Amino acid sequence: MGAIYAMQGKGTAINNELKTELRINAKDAFKEAVNYRPSLGSAWVNLALLTLAEGKELGNSSSEQSKVENTLKEARQCCERALGLDNDDEQSRALANKLVVDIDSMMKQMRKL
């Protein structure tokens, strides 16, 4: 279900409110998936991607900087969960590795501000 909600939210003709609702539904579905099957690496990676999308919508003000940082930490934890699994899902592992590098880079940039 999470993948369906995520795909529905990709259209350009969709308004922001509906896109946010679809992202929330997708995130909730992936959270449910990892609750039932914590060994599902692809669900952890998708959860990380949706969390990053959430953070992207936050502003750059100093009051929202801590929210952005928490979002990055949450997404990184999802990636770490995917990487900590003993499974053969190489595509999810590769994406999780790339996301960790990108997240670390973003967090480093934030500390410089």
Side-chain angles (χ1 to χ4, degrees):
M1 285 302 292
I4 292 169
Y5 290 127
M7 290 305 292
Q8 287 177 338
K10 285 191 173 228
T12 54
I14 256 178
N15 70 31
N16 285 339
E17 190 174 305
L18 181 57
K19 188 182 280 191
T20 299
E21 182 182 334
L22 290 170
R23 191 196 67 251
I24 290 168
N25 290 342
K27 189 173 176 185
D28 289 344
F30 282 116
K31 280 183 178 180
E32 191 173 330
V34 297
N35 280 335
Y36 287 111
R37 280 192 59 201
S39 62
L40 197 56
S42 60
W44 283 110
V45 172
N46 282 314
L47 195 51
L49 289 168
L50 289 164
T51 302
L52 289 171
E54 214 172 61
K56 187 177 178 182
E57 291 181 4
L58 296 171
N60 289 331
S61 69
S62 59
S63 64
E64 292 194 335
Q65 189 170 1
S66 65
K67 290 179 186 177
V68 171
E69 190 171 341
N70 288 337
T71 299
L72 290 172
K73 287 178 183 177
E74 182 183 341
R76 193 179 197 291
Q77 288 172 345
C78 291
C79 291
E80 289 171 352
R81 291 291 301 261
L83 291 170
L85 299 174
D86 186 25
N87 64 27
D88 293 331
D89 189 356
E90 289 302 317
Q91 187 176 9
S92 291
R93 293 180 73 73
L95 184 53
N97 272 318
K98 183 178 178 348
L99 287 173
V100 166
V101 170
D102 291 346
I103 290 167
D104 287 348
S105 175
M106 286 185 268
M107 290 180 81
K108 196 175 195 178
Q109 288 177 347
M110 286 182 65
R111 288 186 198 111
K112 290 180 181 180
L113 298 177

